Amino acid sequence: MKTDVVIIGGGPSGLLLSQLLNRAGVETVVLERSPRERVLSRIRAGVLEAGTVEMLQKAGAGERMLREGHPHEGCIFSDGDLMVRIDFGALTGKTVMVYGQTEVTADLYAAQDAMGATILHEVAEVAIRDADSDAPFVEFTHDGARKRIDCAYVAGCDGFHGVSRRTIPESVRREYERVYPFGWLGLLSRTPPAHDELIYANSANGFALASMRNPMLSRYYVQVPLSDRVEDWSDDRFWERLKSCLPGEVAETLVTGPSIEKSIAPLRSFVSEPLRWGRLFLVGDAAHIVPPTGAKGLNLAVSDVFYLHQALIDAVRHGETAGIDSYSERALRRIWKAMRFSWSMTMMVHRFDGEDSFAAEMRRATLLHLSQSETARRDLAENYIGLPF
Ligand code: FAD
Ligand code: DHB
Protein backbone atom coordinates (compact mmCIF):
# COMPACT_ATOMS: atom_id res chain seq x y z
CA MET A 1 0.00 0.00 0.00
CA LYS A 2 1.02 3.59 -0.60
CA THR A 3 -0.53 6.86 0.48
CA ASP A 4 0.35 10.51 1.12
CA VAL A 5 -0.18 10.61 4.90
CA VAL A 6 -0.56 7.69 7.32
CA ILE A 7 -2.56 8.78 10.36
CA ILE A 8 -2.08 6.69 13.51
CA GLY A 9 -5.21 6.90 15.69
CA GLY A 10 -8.87 7.33 14.77
CA GLY A 11 -9.86 9.59 17.65
CA PRO A 12 -11.04 13.16 17.09
CA SER A 13 -7.65 14.55 16.03
CA GLY A 14 -6.87 11.74 13.55
CA LEU A 15 -10.33 11.82 11.98
CA LEU A 16 -10.45 15.61 11.68
CA LEU A 17 -6.98 15.74 10.12
CA SER A 18 -7.89 12.96 7.70
CA GLN A 19 -11.13 14.68 6.73
CA LEU A 20 -9.47 18.07 6.05
CA LEU A 21 -6.64 16.46 4.06
CA ASN A 22 -9.02 14.32 1.99
CA ARG A 23 -11.12 17.36 1.14
CA ALA A 24 -7.99 19.08 -0.18
CA GLY A 25 -7.05 16.11 -2.35
CA VAL A 26 -4.42 14.64 -0.01
CA GLU A 27 -4.78 10.87 0.41
CA THR A 28 -4.68 9.30 3.88
CA VAL A 29 -4.95 5.94 5.61
CA VAL A 30 -6.14 5.99 9.25
CA LEU A 31 -4.97 3.14 11.50
CA GLU A 32 -7.05 2.69 14.66
CA ARG A 33 -6.37 0.11 17.36
CA SER A 34 -9.94 -0.20 18.68
CA PRO A 35 -13.21 -1.23 17.04
CA ARG A 36 -15.27 1.78 16.02
CA GLU A 37 -17.93 1.12 18.68
CA ARG A 38 -15.31 1.38 21.40
CA VAL A 39 -13.99 4.73 20.12
CA LEU A 40 -17.59 5.96 20.03
CA SER A 41 -18.41 4.82 23.55
CA ARG A 42 -15.76 6.95 25.29
CA ILE A 43 -17.54 9.66 27.24
CA ARG A 44 -15.06 12.52 27.43
CA ALA A 45 -15.05 16.17 26.45
CA GLY A 46 -18.20 18.26 26.33
CA VAL A 47 -17.21 21.85 25.59
CA LEU A 48 -16.15 23.10 22.14
CA GLU A 49 -14.44 26.45 21.61
CA ALA A 50 -15.69 28.69 18.79
CA GLY A 51 -12.54 27.84 16.80
CA THR A 52 -13.28 24.13 17.14
CA VAL A 53 -16.84 24.70 15.93
CA GLU A 54 -15.45 26.53 12.86
CA MET A 55 -12.98 23.76 12.11
CA LEU A 56 -15.68 21.09 12.24
CA GLN A 57 -17.76 23.14 9.82
CA LYS A 58 -14.75 23.61 7.54
CA ALA A 59 -14.33 19.83 7.56
CA GLY A 60 -17.95 19.37 6.46
CA ALA A 61 -18.79 17.67 9.76
CA GLY A 62 -20.56 20.48 11.59
CA GLU A 63 -24.16 20.26 10.44
CA ARG A 64 -25.59 18.12 13.24
CA MET A 65 -23.52 19.99 15.85
CA LEU A 66 -25.10 23.29 14.76
CA ARG A 67 -28.55 21.67 14.90
CA GLU A 68 -28.27 19.67 18.13
CA GLY A 69 -25.43 21.35 20.07
CA HIS A 70 -26.13 23.92 22.75
CA PRO A 71 -24.37 27.32 22.56
CA HIS A 72 -23.51 28.58 26.05
CA GLU A 73 -23.12 32.28 26.73
CA GLY A 74 -21.57 31.86 30.15
CA CYS A 75 -20.65 29.55 33.01
CA ILE A 76 -20.61 29.69 36.81
CA PHE A 77 -17.79 29.40 39.34
CA SER A 78 -18.89 28.79 42.91
CA ASP A 79 -17.39 28.46 46.40
CA GLY A 80 -19.95 27.24 48.89
CA ASP A 81 -23.00 29.39 48.19
CA LEU A 82 -21.08 32.18 46.44
CA MET A 83 -21.79 32.00 42.70
CA VAL A 84 -19.96 34.09 40.10
CA ARG A 85 -21.13 34.11 36.50
CA ILE A 86 -18.65 34.56 33.66
CA ASP A 87 -20.58 36.15 30.80
CA PHE A 88 -18.67 35.01 27.70
CA GLY A 89 -20.99 36.91 25.36
CA ALA A 90 -20.59 40.29 27.09
CA LEU A 91 -16.88 39.86 27.84
CA THR A 92 -15.65 38.41 24.55
CA GLY A 93 -18.52 38.49 22.07
CA LYS A 94 -18.16 34.71 21.69
CA THR A 95 -19.80 31.56 23.01
CA VAL A 96 -18.82 27.92 23.48
CA MET A 97 -20.77 24.93 22.20
CA VAL A 98 -21.84 22.12 24.52
CA TYR A 99 -21.68 19.02 22.28
CA GLY A 100 -20.16 15.71 23.38
CA GLN A 101 -16.90 14.33 22.03
CA THR A 102 -18.81 11.12 21.29
CA GLU A 103 -21.03 13.06 18.89
CA VAL A 104 -18.09 14.92 17.32
CA THR A 105 -16.38 11.58 16.67
CA ALA A 106 -19.56 10.02 15.26
CA ASP A 107 -20.00 13.00 12.88
CA LEU A 108 -16.39 12.75 11.72
CA TYR A 109 -16.73 9.01 11.05
CA ALA A 110 -19.92 9.69 9.07
CA ALA A 111 -18.17 12.41 7.03
CA GLN A 112 -15.18 10.13 6.38
CA ASP A 113 -17.46 7.27 5.31
CA ALA A 114 -19.30 9.59 2.92
CA MET A 115 -15.96 10.47 1.28
CA GLY A 116 -14.94 6.83 1.02
CA ALA A 117 -11.90 7.41 3.27
CA THR A 118 -9.74 4.45 4.33
CA ILE A 119 -9.98 3.75 8.07
CA LEU A 120 -8.66 0.42 9.29
CA HIS A 121 -9.88 -0.67 12.74
CA GLU A 122 -8.41 -3.23 15.10
CA VAL A 123 -4.87 -2.80 13.80
CA ALA A 124 -2.15 -4.06 16.13
CA GLU A 125 1.62 -3.71 16.58
CA VAL A 126 1.87 -0.46 14.66
CA ALA A 127 5.51 0.49 13.99
CA ILE A 128 6.63 3.73 12.35
CA ARG A 129 9.81 3.10 10.35
CA ASP A 130 12.45 5.47 8.93
CA ALA A 131 10.54 8.61 10.00
CA ASP A 132 13.83 10.52 9.89
CA SER A 133 14.40 9.60 6.22
CA ASP A 134 12.73 10.71 2.97
CA ALA A 135 10.94 7.37 2.66
CA PRO A 136 9.05 6.56 5.86
CA PHE A 137 6.69 3.60 6.11
CA VAL A 138 4.37 2.10 8.68
CA GLU A 139 4.04 -1.59 9.51
CA PHE A 140 1.07 -3.10 11.32
CA THR A 141 -0.96 -6.25 11.78
CA HIS A 142 -4.49 -6.34 10.39
CA ASP A 143 -6.81 -9.31 9.68
CA GLY A 144 -4.08 -11.61 10.94
CA ALA A 145 -1.46 -10.43 8.40
CA ARG A 146 1.55 -8.14 8.71
CA LYS A 147 1.17 -5.16 6.33
CA ARG A 148 3.17 -2.15 5.16
CA ILE A 149 2.19 1.30 3.91
CA ASP A 150 4.72 3.62 2.29
CA CYS A 151 3.98 7.31 2.66
CA ALA A 152 5.33 10.86 2.51
CA TYR A 153 4.37 11.78 6.09
CA VAL A 154 3.09 10.20 9.30
CA ALA A 155 0.73 11.95 11.73
CA GLY A 156 0.79 10.58 15.28
CA CYS A 157 -2.76 11.13 16.54
CA ASP A 158 -2.75 8.09 18.83
CA GLY A 159 -3.30 9.68 22.22
CA PHE A 160 -1.19 9.62 25.35
CA HIS A 161 -0.53 5.85 25.32
CA GLY A 162 0.15 5.55 21.58
CA VAL A 163 3.34 4.53 19.76
CA SER A 164 4.05 7.77 17.90
CA ARG A 165 5.62 9.81 20.69
CA ARG A 166 7.77 6.86 21.75
CA THR A 167 9.07 6.53 18.17
CA ILE A 168 10.94 9.80 18.64
CA PRO A 169 14.33 8.98 20.21
CA GLU A 170 14.59 9.89 23.89
CA SER A 171 17.65 12.00 23.15
CA VAL A 172 15.47 14.26 20.99
CA ARG A 173 12.42 14.50 23.31
CA ARG A 174 11.97 17.03 26.10
CA GLU A 175 9.14 16.10 28.45
CA TYR A 176 7.43 18.29 31.03
CA GLU A 177 4.98 16.78 33.49
CA ARG A 178 2.94 17.58 36.54
CA VAL A 179 0.75 14.90 38.10
CA TYR A 180 -2.02 16.10 40.42
CA PRO A 181 -2.82 14.09 43.55
CA PHE A 182 -6.48 13.45 42.65
CA GLY A 183 -8.76 12.33 39.84
CA TRP A 184 -12.24 13.12 38.54
CA LEU A 185 -15.03 10.60 38.97
CA GLY A 186 -17.54 11.26 36.16
CA LEU A 187 -21.17 10.16 36.05
CA LEU A 188 -23.62 10.33 33.15
CA SER A 189 -27.36 10.17 33.89
CA ARG A 190 -30.65 10.59 32.04
CA THR A 191 -31.72 13.51 34.21
CA PRO A 192 -32.24 17.22 33.49
CA PRO A 193 -29.08 19.31 34.11
CA ALA A 194 -28.68 20.92 37.56
CA HIS A 195 -28.53 24.39 36.03
CA ASP A 196 -28.80 25.89 32.55
CA GLU A 197 -25.05 26.67 32.54
CA LEU A 198 -22.00 24.67 33.65
CA ILE A 199 -21.01 25.07 37.32
CA TYR A 200 -17.37 24.69 38.42
CA ALA A 201 -17.85 24.24 42.17
CA ASN A 202 -15.26 24.65 44.87
CA SER A 203 -16.17 23.42 48.36
CA ALA A 204 -14.93 22.09 51.66
CA ASN A 205 -15.45 18.61 50.15
CA GLY A 206 -13.35 19.44 47.10
CA PHE A 207 -14.21 20.17 43.49
CA ALA A 208 -17.33 19.23 41.53
CA LEU A 209 -18.49 20.07 38.00
CA ALA A 210 -22.09 20.13 36.85
CA SER A 211 -22.16 19.75 33.08
CA MET A 212 -24.62 18.43 30.53
CA ARG A 213 -25.12 16.99 27.07
CA ASN A 214 -28.76 17.87 26.41
CA PRO A 215 -31.97 18.75 28.33
CA MET A 216 -32.36 15.13 29.49
CA LEU A 217 -28.71 14.07 29.79
CA SER A 218 -26.39 15.35 32.51
CA ARG A 219 -22.69 14.90 33.11
CA TYR A 220 -21.25 15.43 36.58
CA TYR A 221 -17.78 15.10 38.07
CA VAL A 222 -16.46 15.04 41.65
CA GLN A 223 -12.86 15.17 42.84
CA VAL A 224 -11.66 11.82 44.27
CA PRO A 225 -8.36 10.51 45.72
CA LEU A 226 -6.25 8.60 43.20
CA SER A 227 -6.58 5.48 45.33
CA ASP A 228 -10.40 5.35 44.85
CA ARG A 229 -11.99 2.85 42.46
CA VAL A 230 -15.29 3.29 40.60
CA GLU A 231 -16.65 0.36 42.68
CA ASP A 232 -16.11 2.46 45.82
CA TRP A 233 -18.73 4.91 44.59
CA SER A 234 -22.36 3.79 44.56
CA ASP A 235 -24.70 6.18 42.74
CA ASP A 236 -26.11 7.27 46.12
CA ARG A 237 -22.67 8.11 47.46
CA PHE A 238 -21.90 10.09 44.29
CA TRP A 239 -25.12 12.15 44.46
CA GLU A 240 -24.60 12.88 48.13
CA ARG A 241 -21.04 14.12 47.52
CA LEU A 242 -22.10 16.17 44.49
CA LYS A 243 -24.86 17.89 46.49
CA SER A 244 -22.43 18.75 49.27
CA CYS A 245 -20.16 20.52 46.78
CA LEU A 246 -22.77 22.49 44.80
CA PRO A 247 -24.25 25.82 45.99
CA GLY A 248 -27.26 25.20 48.27
CA GLU A 249 -29.85 26.59 45.86
CA VAL A 250 -28.62 24.27 43.09
CA ALA A 251 -28.27 21.19 45.33
CA GLU A 252 -31.85 21.64 46.57
CA THR A 253 -33.36 21.22 43.11
CA LEU A 254 -30.87 18.66 41.76
CA VAL A 255 -32.62 15.75 40.04
CA THR A 256 -30.80 12.46 40.60
CA GLY A 257 -31.22 9.11 38.86
CA PRO A 258 -29.38 5.90 37.98
CA SER A 259 -25.97 6.30 36.32
CA ILE A 260 -25.49 5.23 32.70
CA GLU A 261 -21.71 5.46 32.94
CA LYS A 262 -19.18 6.09 35.68
CA SER A 263 -15.41 6.40 35.27
CA ILE A 264 -12.35 7.89 36.96
CA ALA A 265 -9.79 10.01 35.09
CA PRO A 266 -6.48 11.01 36.69
CA LEU A 267 -5.40 14.64 36.28
CA ARG A 268 -2.11 15.47 34.65
CA SER A 269 -0.30 18.21 32.73
CA PHE A 270 2.17 16.89 30.15
CA VAL A 271 4.02 18.24 27.12
CA SER A 272 6.49 16.44 24.87
CA GLU A 273 8.61 18.66 22.61
CA PRO A 274 9.26 18.92 19.72
CA LEU A 275 6.11 17.90 17.82
CA ARG A 276 8.13 16.90 14.77
CA TRP A 277 10.80 14.34 14.13
CA GLY A 278 11.72 14.10 10.45
CA ARG A 279 8.49 13.19 8.67
CA LEU A 280 6.56 12.30 11.82
CA PHE A 281 4.28 14.89 13.45
CA LEU A 282 2.59 14.57 16.85
CA VAL A 283 -0.96 15.87 17.26
CA GLY A 284 -3.32 16.18 20.24
CA ASP A 285 -3.06 13.92 23.30
CA ALA A 286 -0.11 12.08 21.71
CA ALA A 287 1.98 15.17 22.50
CA HIS A 288 0.22 16.87 25.39
CA ILE A 289 -2.29 16.34 28.16
CA VAL A 290 -4.09 18.99 30.18
CA PRO A 291 -6.13 18.42 33.32
CA PRO A 292 -9.81 18.58 32.22
CA THR A 293 -10.62 21.61 34.41
CA GLY A 294 -10.25 24.17 31.61
CA ALA A 295 -12.07 22.02 28.99
CA LYS A 296 -9.06 22.35 26.71
CA GLY A 297 -7.91 18.83 25.69
CA LEU A 298 -10.08 18.26 22.64
CA ASN A 299 -9.87 21.91 21.65
CA LEU A 300 -6.09 21.81 21.76
CA ALA A 301 -6.07 18.71 19.57
CA VAL A 302 -8.17 20.67 17.06
CA SER A 303 -5.82 23.68 17.08
CA ASP A 304 -2.88 21.34 16.36
CA VAL A 305 -4.87 20.02 13.40
CA PHE A 306 -5.52 23.61 12.31
CA TYR A 307 -1.76 24.26 11.99
CA LEU A 308 -0.81 20.84 10.62
CA HIS A 309 -3.48 20.25 7.98
CA GLN A 310 -2.58 23.33 5.92
CA ALA A 311 1.14 22.62 6.36
CA LEU A 312 0.70 19.06 5.03
CA ILE A 313 -1.46 20.23 2.13
CA ASP A 314 1.24 22.76 1.15
CA ALA A 315 3.94 20.10 1.44
CA VAL A 316 2.14 17.28 -0.41
CA ARG A 317 0.38 19.32 -3.10
CA HIS A 318 2.83 22.16 -3.70
CA GLY A 319 6.18 20.97 -2.34
CA GLU A 320 6.24 23.95 0.06
CA THR A 321 7.73 22.98 3.41
CA ALA A 322 7.68 26.27 5.38
CA GLY A 323 4.45 25.16 7.13
CA ILE A 324 5.73 21.79 8.28
CA ASP A 325 9.02 23.40 9.32
CA SER A 326 7.24 25.82 11.66
CA TYR A 327 4.41 23.47 12.83
CA SER A 328 6.02 22.43 16.11
CA GLU A 329 6.89 25.96 17.17
CA ARG A 330 3.53 27.50 16.22
CA ALA A 331 1.45 24.76 17.82
CA LEU A 332 3.57 24.72 20.99
CA ARG A 333 3.11 28.44 21.58
CA ARG A 334 -0.66 27.93 21.87
CA ILE A 335 -0.27 24.62 23.74
CA TRP A 336 1.76 26.24 26.53
CA LYS A 337 -0.82 29.00 26.98
CA ALA A 338 -3.58 26.39 27.31
CA MET A 339 -1.31 24.46 29.73
CA ARG A 340 -1.01 27.55 31.89
CA PHE A 341 -4.76 28.18 31.90
CA SER A 342 -5.65 24.55 32.66
CA TRP A 343 -3.09 24.41 35.46
CA SER A 344 -4.26 27.68 37.04
CA MET A 345 -7.93 26.64 36.84
CA THR A 346 -7.01 23.33 38.45
CA MET A 347 -5.20 25.06 41.30
CA MET A 348 -8.09 27.50 41.72
CA VAL A 349 -10.87 24.97 42.25
CA HIS A 350 -9.41 21.82 43.84
CA ARG A 351 -8.71 20.92 47.44
CA PHE A 352 -5.27 19.36 47.95
CA ASP A 353 -4.96 16.70 50.67
CA GLY A 354 -2.96 17.94 53.62
CA GLU A 355 -3.14 21.56 52.51
CA ASP A 356 -3.17 24.30 55.15
CA SER A 357 -6.10 26.63 55.86
CA PHE A 358 -4.33 29.40 53.92
CA ALA A 359 -4.82 27.51 50.62
CA ALA A 360 -8.62 27.44 50.93
CA GLU A 361 -8.66 31.16 51.72
CA MET A 362 -6.57 31.86 48.61
CA ARG A 363 -9.12 30.01 46.47
CA ARG A 364 -11.97 31.89 48.05
CA ALA A 365 -10.18 35.24 47.58
CA THR A 366 -9.59 34.41 43.91
CA LEU A 367 -13.31 33.84 43.49
CA LEU A 368 -14.18 37.03 45.38
CA HIS A 369 -11.81 38.96 43.13
CA LEU A 370 -13.45 37.35 40.11
CA SER A 371 -16.87 38.44 41.39
CA GLN A 372 -15.73 42.07 41.71
CA SER A 373 -13.33 42.58 38.80
CA GLU A 374 -14.51 42.64 35.21
CA THR A 375 -10.85 42.55 34.14
CA ALA A 376 -10.37 39.24 35.98
CA ARG A 377 -13.57 37.83 34.48
CA ARG A 378 -12.56 38.92 30.98
CA ASP A 379 -9.17 37.24 31.33
CA LEU A 380 -10.83 33.99 32.37
CA ALA A 381 -13.47 34.27 29.63
CA GLU A 382 -10.87 34.92 26.88
CA ASN A 383 -8.99 31.78 27.84
CA TYR A 384 -12.11 29.65 28.35
CA ILE A 385 -13.72 30.46 25.01
CA GLY A 386 -10.33 29.78 23.38
CA LEU A 387 -7.30 31.88 22.46
CA PRO A 388 -6.97 32.71 18.76
CA PHE A 389 -5.22 30.15 16.53
P1 FAD B 1 -7.61 10.26 21.69
O1 FAD B 1 -9.02 10.69 21.86
O2 FAD B 1 -6.93 9.61 22.83
O3 FAD B 1 -7.56 9.31 20.43
C1 FAD B 1 -6.43 8.52 20.13
C2 FAD B 1 -6.85 7.31 19.33
O4 FAD B 1 -5.70 6.56 18.97
C3 FAD B 1 -7.74 6.37 20.12
O5 FAD B 1 -8.91 6.10 19.39
C4 FAD B 1 -6.89 5.14 20.37
O6 FAD B 1 -7.65 3.94 20.39
C5 FAD B 1 -5.95 5.19 19.18
N1 FAD B 1 -4.65 4.53 19.43
C6 FAD B 1 -3.91 4.55 20.55
N2 FAD B 1 -2.79 3.85 20.40
C7 FAD B 1 -2.81 3.36 19.15
C8 FAD B 1 -1.92 2.55 18.39
N3 FAD B 1 -0.78 2.10 18.93
N4 FAD B 1 -2.25 2.24 17.13
C9 FAD B 1 -3.42 2.71 16.58
N5 FAD B 1 -4.29 3.47 17.25
C10 FAD B 1 -3.99 3.80 18.51
N6 FAD B 1 -11.26 18.06 26.30
C11 FAD B 1 -11.94 19.22 26.01
O7 FAD B 1 -11.55 19.93 25.07
N7 FAD B 1 -13.04 19.61 26.71
C12 FAD B 1 -13.50 18.86 27.73
O8 FAD B 1 -14.53 19.24 28.30
C13 FAD B 1 -12.79 17.66 28.10
N8 FAD B 1 -13.22 16.89 29.11
C14 FAD B 1 -12.59 15.70 29.36
C15 FAD B 1 -13.08 14.92 30.38
C16 FAD B 1 -12.45 13.72 30.65
C17 FAD B 1 -12.99 12.90 31.79
C18 FAD B 1 -11.33 13.28 29.90
C19 FAD B 1 -10.66 11.96 30.17
C20 FAD B 1 -10.85 14.05 28.86
C21 FAD B 1 -11.46 15.27 28.58
N9 FAD B 1 -11.00 16.08 27.56
C22 FAD B 1 -11.66 17.27 27.31
C23 FAD B 1 -9.82 15.70 26.76
C24 FAD B 1 -10.16 15.08 25.40
O9 FAD B 1 -11.04 14.00 25.56
C25 FAD B 1 -8.89 14.64 24.69
O10 FAD B 1 -7.98 15.72 24.70
C26 FAD B 1 -9.15 14.19 23.22
O11 FAD B 1 -9.78 12.95 23.20
C27 FAD B 1 -7.86 14.12 22.42
O12 FAD B 1 -8.11 13.56 21.14
P2 FAD B 1 -7.00 12.75 20.36
O13 FAD B 1 -7.65 12.33 19.08
O14 FAD B 1 -5.74 13.54 20.29
O15 FAD B 1 -6.68 11.50 21.28
C1 DHB C 1 -17.01 18.62 30.61
C2 DHB C 1 -15.73 18.22 30.93
C3 DHB C 1 -14.80 19.16 31.31
O1 DHB C 1 -13.55 18.79 31.61
C4 DHB C 1 -15.13 20.50 31.42
O2 DHB C 1 -14.20 21.39 31.84
C5 DHB C 1 -16.40 20.90 31.10
C6 DHB C 1 -17.34 19.96 30.69
C7 DHB C 1 -18.02 17.63 30.18
O3 DHB C 1 -17.67 16.44 30.09
O4 DHB C 1 -19.17 18.01 29.96
Side-chain angles (χ1 to χ4, degrees):
M1 273 195 275
K2 198 169 165 32
T3 192
D4 293 325
V5 181
V6 173
I7 297 176
I8 324 271
S13 57
L15 295 170
L16 179 62
L17 179 63
S18 180
Q19 178 70 9
L20 289 163
L21 292 180
N22 294 165
R23 280 166 76 92
V26 174
E27 208 182 274
T28 62
V29 173
V30 177
L31 303 178
E32 167 58 47
R33 187 182 51 186
S34 300
R36 186 176 292 203
E37 310 76 62
R38 191 167 316 146
V39 180
L40 288 174
S41 68
R42 296 186 192 124
I43 316 281
R44 289 167 122 198
V47 177
L48 308 183
E49 296 173 354
T52 299
V53 169
E54 270 173 43
M55 284 287 281
L56 289 167
Q57 285 174 269
K58 181 177 177 194
E63 212 174 281
R64 191 166 70 97
M65 167 190 67
L66 292 184
R67 224 175 35 242
E68 297 178 14
H70 300 270
H72 278 219
E73 298 236 338
C75 75
I76 311 280
F77 285 82
S78 71
D79 188 330
D81 288 336
L82 172 64
M83 294 169 76
V84 179
R85 178 166 190 264
I86 309 294
D87 188 332
F88 309 140
L91 294 163
T92 68
K94 295 205 172 134
T95 60
V96 294
M97 181 75 90
V98 171
Y99 190 65
Q101 176 168 334
T102 324
E103 309 308 320
V104 170
T105 313
D107 294 348
L108 285 167
Y109 272 123
Q112 283 275 274
D113 288 348
M115 292 196 65
T118 308
I119 303 176
L120 303 182
H121 283 275
E122 298 181 69
V123 302
E125 294 156 331
V126 172
I128 304 165
R129 306 285 187 206
D130 295 351
D132 58 342
S133 79
D134 285 342
F137 61 98
V138 177
E139 290 179 318
F140 58 100
T141 303
H142 189 238
D143 283 341
R146 198 74 186 146
K147 296 180 181 169
R148 167 180 173 145
I149 313 180
D150 291 278
C151 57
Y153 298 101
V154 181
C157 303
D158 48 354
F160 186 64
H161 301 287
V163 296
S164 300
R165 186 178 66 254
R166 283 179 280 124
T167 300
I168 303 178
E170 263 181 51
S171 58
V172 175
R173 267 187 276 153
R174 291 181 303 278
E175 297 191 343
Y176 305 82
E177 185 171 43
R178 174 137 323 171
V179 176
Y180 303 88
F182 40 74
W184 280 17
L185 168 64
L187 178 147
L188 189 71
S189 64
R190 267 187 246 290
T191 52
H195 191 70
D196 53 6
E197 294 182 330
L198 269 63
I199 303 177
Y200 290 86
N202 194 353
S203 81
N205 278 330
F207 171 75
L209 168 60
S211 183
M212 63 195 76
R213 292 291 178 270
N214 65 48
M216 259 320 279
L217 196 57
S218 295
R219 181 71 169 161
Y220 297 106
Y221 299 93
V222 297
Q223 171 182 349
V224 294
L226 282 174
S227 49
D228 278 18
R229 299 281 151 258
V230 173
E231 303 72 59
D232 300 332
W233 286 85
S234 65
D235 288 0
D236 285 347
R237 182 177 176 209
F238 182 95
W239 292 118
E240 202 175 303
R241 169 59 61 85
L242 178 68
K243 279 186 187 171
S244 77
C245 298
L246 292 173
E249 62 179 272
V250 178
E252 257 170 42
T253 56
L254 181 77
V255 180
T256 64
S259 62
I260 307 170
E261 191 261 5
K262 252 190 292 193
S263 52
I264 293 182
L267 266 68
R268 133 185 8 245
S269 298
F270 174 83
V271 181
S272 179
E273 296 183 347
L275 304 185
R276 175 191 186 179
W277 185 58
R279 288 173 172 257
L280 167 66
F281 299 88
L282 301 182
V283 181
D285 278 18
H288 44 78
I289 297 286
V290 285
T293 328
K296 289 283 164 263
L298 175 59
N299 292 300
L300 216 44
V302 171
S303 70
D304 288 355
V305 171
F306 170 83
Y307 298 119
L308 187 60
H309 86 283
Q310 196 54 54
L312 285 174
I313 293 166
D314 291 344
V316 171
R317 304 271 328 251
H318 313 296
E320 287 167 15
T321 56
I324 55 173
D325 290 342
S326 61
Y327 165 68
S328 183
E329 205 189 318
R330 289 178 77 199
L332 278 166
R333 273 203 291 268
R334 192 171 187 279
I335 288 162
W336 276 112
K337 285 182 277 183
M339 284 286 148
R340 186 203 68 84
F341 176 67
S342 305
W343 162 80
S344 74
M345 282 260 295
T346 302
M347 301 305 284
M348 175 178 142
V349 296
H350 290 85
R351 208 177 67 80
F352 286 70
D353 264 357
E355 69 179 19
D356 55 16
S357 51
F358 186 79
E361 290 305 325
M362 286 301 98
R363 288 197 296 272
R364 192 160 175 87
T366 305
L367 196 73
L368 274 175
H369 177 56
L370 212 52
S371 72
Q372 285 157 0
S373 163
E374 187 176 302
T375 309
R377 286 196 297 279
R378 176 165 293 116
D379 178 56
L380 198 157
E382 262 178 20
N383 279 281
Y384 192 89
I385 61 109
L387 296 174
F389 287 166

